[in-house]
Amino acid sequence: MSHDPNCLFCKIIQGQIPSKKVYEDDEVLAFHDIHPWAPVHFLLIPKLHIASMADLQPEHAAVLGKMSILVPRLMKELGVTNGFRTVINTGSDGGQEVFHLHMHAMGGPRPWLKG
């Protein structure tokens, strides 16, 4: 799989930086956010280095679909039963800070009302 040796998330995938894993398989990794905005807040990333949603190609459809399907399952496993939010920030103006495609999944009582 393609990776960027300077990418923070690629380093997490490679095991060079520790993370608190939620889920892992051959294509994706989910781990808890180190600065959570909600009682449950994890990131879901493809293991293939894709810089942002703007860089997606037709061949990436399956992995993005897999990520979308995994979120409800993982939220349920983590005890979130009354809804959750998913966010993909894209590009600098979209609030993206790490340029490796990632989906935030946040659950719990109204997490987006962080004060």
Side-chain angles (χ1 to χ4, degrees):
M1 274 206 186
S2 168
H3 73 282
D4 177 343
N6 299 312
C7 171
L8 174 69
F9 289 168
C10 287
K11 290 177 181 180
I12 290 172
I13 292 165
Q14 298 294 316
Q16 297 169 347
I17 296 174
S19 66
K20 186 176 173 191
K21 294 179 185 178
V22 173
Y23 175 87
E24 182 175 20
D25 67 21
D26 291 341
E27 298 175 307
V28 299
L29 173 66
F31 55 94
H32 289 279
D33 194 294
I34 61 169
H35 300 294
W37 278 60
V40 174
H41 182 174
F42 63 86
L43 303 177
L44 189 54
I45 63 174
K47 287 189 172 181
L48 174 67
H49 181 82
I50 303 167
S52 78
M53 196 159 187
D55 297 300
L56 287 172
Q57 299 297 316
E59 61 267 22
H60 302 132
V63 74
L64 194 61
K66 180 179 208 170
M67 291 167 60
S68 298
I69 295 296
L70 273 170
V71 171
R73 180 183 126 195
L74 296 175
M75 281 294 182
K76 185 176 181 181
E77 289 175 6
L78 293 169
V80 175
T81 59
N82 198 29
F84 56 87
R85 183 178 192 186
T86 56
V87 176
I88 299 175
N89 299 319
T90 304
S92 296
D93 287 342
Q96 186 174 3
E97 295 176 0
V98 177
F99 286 85
H100 184 120
L101 177 68
H102 57 286
M103 178 184 293
H104 291 263
M106 297 167 278
R110 307 280 307 258
W112 30 95
L113 296 180
K114 182 176 180 177

